[in-house]
Amino acid sequence: NMDASVDAFAESVRTDIKLANGFHAIGFSQGNNVIRGYIARYNDPPVNTFISVNGVNAGVGAVPYCRPKSVEEEKSKLAFSMCDLLMEQASNRAYTEYAQEHLFQANYWRDPRPSEADAYKSFAQLARWNNECDDKNTTFNENFSKTRKFVWIMAEQDGMVFPKQGEHWGAPDPEDPFNTILPMKETEWYKNDLFGLKEANEAGKMDFLSFDGDHLQFTMKDFDRWVTTYLS
């Protein structure tokens, strides 16, 4: 699961004397959650620069390439689809103690429907990292502030991650989750600065980039530019 992966990563970092004064990290897709989790829970030694390429740091709210129907669409004659069925099955299986203990993908499953909010907050490891639960952990904010630079990179045509705007910390609007995506500054985790996102942004620590393509379909020219811009 994510917590166990972060613990293993932290142990590896702390035993490498070359990283004792901090290090830079680049993550791809769900691998970003290991780095983001390390920042939230440890960040000692600190991640100085975090480049997140198509990260699912904000979770995923639908099965890849399969968006469920909106409320209005459900009122039509075609009231149910395979995507709706997959959505139901994903939430039923992800929000259990067993899945959270053994399945990395279940840890960042963030069903955006209001009916699933309690289950998400009760089970998902991501909900704890985001401080979306009732018990808040201010250490997450303190640790987030130790990183000097965050670079969030979105794939403009991403069909793997819903919503793709989550790669820039956007989130589905609970009132219309499959049609309306809130930009970062309108989300609860930003407005209430649940884990340090707002503070980092107002300090000028965050850059938002994108490329024209599907999930992880960037060019080496893109990658070279990101590395030379932020890590030279």
Side-chain angles (χ1 to χ4, degrees):
N1 63 37
M2 292 198 308
D3 277 332
S5 298
V6 168
D7 290 340
F9 180 76
E11 179 64 22
S12 179
V13 167
R14 287 181 168 180
T15 57
D16 189 337
I17 60 173
K18 293 181 293 184
L19 306 180
N21 295 319
F23 60 99
H24 305 303
I26 304 176
F28 301 94
S29 193
Q30 68 178 8
N32 283 286
N33 283 22
V34 177
I35 304 170
R36 185 274 169 110
Y38 173 83
I39 290 173
R41 297 181 49 221
Y42 291 92
N43 219 12
D44 180 25
V47 175
N48 293 324
T49 303
F50 177 24
I51 299 178
S52 171
V53 183
N54 302 163
V56 290
N57 304 291
V60 295
V63 176
Y65 302 100
C66 200
R67 182 177 66 85
K69 291 184 175 67
S70 66
V71 174
E72 290 302 316
E73 289 172 321
E74 288 178 354
K75 295 178 182 178
S76 69
K77 293 181 179 179
L78 298 175
F80 209 73
S81 71
M82 181 59 70
C83 288
D84 294 284
L85 177 61
L86 290 172
M87 185 84 180
E88 292 296 330
Q89 293 301 312
S91 289
N92 287 340
R93 283 161 172 73
Y95 297 147
T96 64
E97 291 183 4
Y98 182 86
Q100 291 296 314
E101 181 66 26
H102 297 284
L103 188 60
F104 192 102
Q105 291 80 4
N107 301 150
Y108 62 82
W109 177 254
R110 189 175 187 273
D111 191 324
R113 297 173 298 176
S115 60
E116 297 298 322
D118 288 343
Y120 165 71
K121 292 177 182 179
S122 296
F123 289 101
Q125 289 181 14
L126 182 68
R128 294 197 296 275
W129 291 5
N130 286 349
N131 263 337
E132 295 178 279
C133 305
D134 292 335
D135 295 329
K136 301 295 189 288
N137 187 339
T138 57
T139 300
F140 293 161
N141 300 63
E142 295 168 8
N143 288 342
F144 205 80
S145 69
K146 296 176 184 176
T147 294
R148 301 172 187 166
K149 193 69 177 181
F150 298 91
V151 185
W152 313 107
I153 302 173
M154 180 178 72
E156 294 284 359
Q157 311 304 324
D158 205 321
M160 178 71 72
V161 176
F162 176 83
K164 66 181 181 183
Q165 294 90 339
E167 297 167 13
H168 280 177
W169 287 104
D173 184 343
E175 297 184 3
D176 189 17
F178 300 115
N179 282 323
T180 304
I181 307 301
L182 300 174
M184 179 187 72
K185 290 184 178 181
E186 295 181 21
T187 62
E188 289 301 312
W189 50 51
Y190 185 87
K191 290 190 295 184
N192 295 321
D193 205 18
L194 295 183
F195 56 87
L197 198 66
K198 182 178 181 180
E199 180 183 349
N201 189 54
E202 290 182 343
K205 291 184 175 183
M206 304 210 298
D207 284 0
F208 300 88
L209 309 178
S210 63
F211 61 88
D212 186 19
D214 201 347
H215 195 69
L216 297 181
Q217 299 304 302
F218 54 86
T219 66
M220 286 309 300
K221 184 177 180 180
D222 291 326
F223 184 74
D224 289 344
R225 183 174 65 256
W226 302 332
V227 170
T228 55
T229 299
Y230 293 102
L231 304 183
S232 294

